[in-house]
Amino acid sequence: MQSDNIERITPFNPLSKTNLGESVADALLARPVTSLPPSQFVGAGIYSIYYHGNHPAYLEIAEMNMDDKFLWPIYVGKAVPAGARKGGFGLDEDPGVVLFKRLSEHAMSIQQTENLAVEHFSCRFLVVEDIWIPLAESLLIQMFSPLWNKYLDGFGNHDPGRGRYQQQRSPWDTLHPGRPWAKKLKTNSSNVDSIQAMVRSYISEKRLELFSR
């Protein structure tokens, strides 16, 4: 007769979604850090962006990334082939330079602001088989709770186009004004001071939660 005190251990499944996602995430985090944007390359995949500048709202994030530590991304993202964006998996699609293009778009967004400098940012990127890209991105966001993914919305936005400028300017564009199309949007209901205070609170809370273990 078996004792109720016997420890029951869940068998390791290397093909579970979590473990597969972790393997891709680990591969990204093992990649070297480069400038934003990097040199041109071909492929789709995932990336993480790191801030190490002197903006007063982001000092705690910058501290985590200085001296080549690069521990806490401010943003995580993905770039998938055109077929995946249209509702398919994008399997066997030629991705072209889609990941490089996305990183270049981010660099341009930063360069257009009045209070950020692209030289204060670095990135990691990993070219990934199409089917694993969304899973790895989701896991990385869960792992790091990046500020520009989870709290300060708007960095990854595009020009909404003519006829859609009645929506509010994003919190990101409010804190970092300068993108030409964002100037056409309505003023956000929150001002810069309140957004910055909430950002600082989020960073302090998440830093304690993520890095005090």
Side-chain angles (χ1 to χ4, degrees), residues 145-165:
S145 296
L147 174 69
W148 289 357
N149 292 93
K150 297 285 286 185
Y151 192 75
L152 190 66
D153 182 61
F155 174 59
N157 292 357
H158 292 93
D159 187 340
R162 185 178 300 177
R164 297 183 179 179
Y165 292 128

Side-chain angles (χ1 to χ4, degrees), residues 68-80:
D68 297 323
K69 294 193 294 285
F70 298 108
L71 297 175
W72 197 6
I74 198 168
Y75 189 76
V76 165
K78 69 178 185 297
V80 297

